[in-house]
Amino acid sequence: MTDKSKEGDRLRDAAFAAMENAYAPYSRFRVGSAVLASSGEIVSGCNVENAAYGEALCAERVAVAAAVAQGLTSFEEIAIASESEEPSPPCGSCRQTLSEFAPDLLVSSYSRNGKSAQWRLSDLLPEAFALNHLRGRP
Ligand code: THU
């Protein structure tokens, strides 16, 4: 087994472990996520729902925010684990947040029954809004 695939397995396992901590009493859809920083560190997150439904936090953004709070802003891969039958892609808001730090991030998603899918973030979010679009304002 290559070092890269071992790292991918570690990342997947971290996402599933985080899924166990998901707080999702309203949707009952638990999601876990883990980002692999360029430093090799892994930081995980889970979805955190609220009685005010619209305040729900997605697992992916929780993981990225936790990583940034640790001083990590360069990422190689994100793993997503969910209870869906098919591997679930990140929502639009998460795509935009991920794109801020890693526009071509490798996105790996795993379902509860062992299926997986991989995408490049640049394919999931072409024409992302980015810093360069803010230039030239008065
Ligand atoms: N959710 C995530 O955590 N990540 C996604 O990319 C899609 C949706 C969460 C939000 C909410 O808690 C639940 O899944 C149902 O939408």
Side-chain angles (χ1 to χ4, degrees):
M1 196 184 270
T2 64
D3 281 357
K4 261 221 154 34
S5 71
K6 253 192 256 165
E7 205 148 55
D9 288 352
R10 257 189 348 121
L11 199 63
R12 178 202 60 210
D13 293 350
F16 274 109
M19 191 184 85
E20 295 298 322
N21 295 328
Y23 179 75
Y26 303 104
S27 72
R28 298 192 187 284
F29 185 65
R30 299 187 303 162
V31 186
S33 179
V35 282
L36 174 65
S38 301
S39 61
E41 286 163 87
I42 286 176
V43 182
S44 57
C46 61
N47 55 336
V48 182
E49 297 186 345
N50 193 277
Y53 291 177
E55 301 309 320
L57 304 173
C58 287
E60 299 92 321
R61 273 177 288 164
V62 169
V64 170
V68 172
Q70 290 182 31
L72 305 169
T73 54
S74 173
F75 306 112
E76 303 296 321
E77 183 176 350
I78 186 166
I80 302 162
S82 81
E83 299 188 296
S84 68
E85 287 196 358
E86 295 299 323
S88 157
C91 80
S93 298
C94 289
R95 294 177 196 196
Q96 181 65 32
T97 296
L98 292 168
S99 177
E100 177 73 17
F101 299 101
D104 202 30
L105 189 68
L106 181 61
V107 179
S108 304
S109 183
Y110 303 90
S111 65
R112 64 176 156 81
N113 49 12
K115 291 190 192 168
S116 66
Q118 277 196 327
W119 307 274
R120 282 285 168 186
L121 185 59
S122 52
D123 293 323
L124 295 177
L125 186 67
E127 304 296 340
F129 184 77
L131 175 63
N132 60 301
H133 298 111
L134 291 173
R135 297 215 173 96
R137 62 191 183 281

